[in-house]
Amino acid sequence: MTSHNNRKPQKALSARLVETVNEPGKYFDGQGLFLRVRKNGAKQWVQRITIRGKRTELGLGSPPAVSLATARKLALDNREKAMLGGDPLADKRKVQDGLTFAKAVDTYLAAKLSEFRNEKHRKQWRATLDTYAAPILGPMLVSEIETRDVLRALEPIWKTKTETAKRLRGRIENVLSWATVAGHRKGDNPARWKGNLSEILPKPSKIAKNENHPALALADAQRWWTDLSNRDGMAARALCFLSLTAARSGEVRGMTWDEIDFGCIATPATIATRQAVWTIPASRMKNGRAHRVPLSAEALYLLKSLPRVEDSPYVFFAPRGGMLSDMSISAVMRRMQEAQVKTGAAGYLDPESNRAAVPHGIRSTFRQWAAEQGYPRDMAEIALAHFIGSDVERAYQRSDMLERRRQMMESWSAFLKTGINQENPQVIPIRRYSGDQRS
């Protein structure tokens, strides 16, 4: 092994050298820090340091995971700690033996993820912690995390991404609660809101901006529907169905054929659909309760026009038979808007925010239409699968008004097609699925 044991190097290491060097040896940087390169090409940061009168070596990780800049900072911190009488080696062993927040997240989620409603929610849970908590709390022992540490994770986004920060706080609290019950920490939960963070951070309701999803203007509904109906592709058909049912994107994309009770088959000549119902299981609902959706003649005719893929349960399937992505439906509306703008038109804008309408905003459009048509508030809220009233009221209100909602959805379907509210709509077939996925 070639020796490069210059204790006082004339020139410190460079990031380029660290990346490219492969000759075995020791490459010193100063402050006792050196890069050890082994015969097999493996690299490791090592610091020679005197701790309480005893000379020792500390491993500081390996590049590229630990960069030159990070290794220098670790070495400087260790040197400072040792000079003040501390023991960085003992601290390192303590961290290795204890439970870090990052490990606590892994263990907690391994047990809890199965309880979450859908894959998107599971990914969001993990992503929020990885993005905002891990850089600060990840390497810390859960037993040593204090309120000030939680604040370091929350404060940068508390005012700018308030809703995300609220969820982050709750998720940190859950992980630390688990760590306490599992015996890895003691005392109060530093992420607790009431009587703790509530005394330091402003209330979310006072600073959060109401960022509603841009909705389609009622005046543009018929023009937008005509545009959409003439578009090819499975994602366009899914967006049509989403609009006719006022359902959420995930509910439509995850829809399977066995969730549908077709009842009578709709054709352009008949709209006998009294028994047509789509039942979304509780496991796929945001509120955790099964939801029945009465299918209008237009919605039912759309379903009957779709092809089926062998070995795929999905009604609206992706090219390979799996579930459509959320972005595929959003892309349809984005392309519709872009096509409008290219012609010099304003497109389909939310009348309040002046932003381009998005799929989820169709639910708001439906809610506004229902209110203006005088439909009972509870009936419209049930159609959107929202909880209504208090727990006591819900206990007594067990009807989901299915047949009354059926008439409402027929009228909504007619409004989308014509822009006119009418009582006895006729089925006007939308463009059939062509197999083109570029909707």
Side-chain angles (χ1 to χ4, degrees), residues 69 89 100 111 154 196 357 371:
L89 178 59
T100 64
L154 296 177
N196 184 43

Side-chain angles (χ1 to χ4, degrees), residues 103 113 120 201:
K103 290 180 180 178
L113 280 181
K120 183 178 180 180
L201 296 170

Side-chain angles (χ1 to χ4, degrees), residues 63 79 102 121 159 180 188 196 244 278 341 347 381 402 420 425:
R79 185 179 177 85
H121 187 52
K159 293 182 179 180
T180 300
D188 292 338
N196 184 43
L244 291 167
W278 169 33
V341 172
E381 290 296 301
L402 182 67
I420 301 172

Side-chain angles (χ1 to χ4, degrees), residues 352-372:
E352 292 187 6
S353 68
N354 208 39
R355 293 184 295 159
V358 298
H360 197 80
I362 302 300
R363 287 164 57 83
S364 296
T365 304
F366 164 78
R367 187 64 184 86
Q368 180 187 353
W369 170 85
E372 293 190 3

Side-chain angles (χ1 to χ4, degrees), residues 268-290:
T270 177
I271 56 171
T273 60
R274 294 291 294 176
Q275 302 303 316
V277 177
W278 169 33
T279 302
I280 313 173
S283 60
R284 295 207 304 106
M285 290 300 299
K286 183 177 181 180
N287 61 15
R289 298 174 59 180

Side-chain angles (χ1 to χ4, degrees), residues 195-212:
N196 184 43
L197 294 177
S198 62
E199 307 305 315
I200 303 172
L201 296 170
K203 291 182 179 180
S205 60
K206 299 294 184 181
I207 58 175
K209 297 179 180 179
N210 187 15
E211 293 288 346
N212 293 323

Side-chain angles (χ1 to χ4, degrees), residues 101 104-105 108 125 129 170-180:
F101 182 81
V105 169
Y108 174 79
W125 230 94
L129 289 168
R171 290 164 187 175
I172 294 173
E173 182 179 17
N174 287 347
V175 173
L176 295 180
S177 290
W178 169 85
T180 300

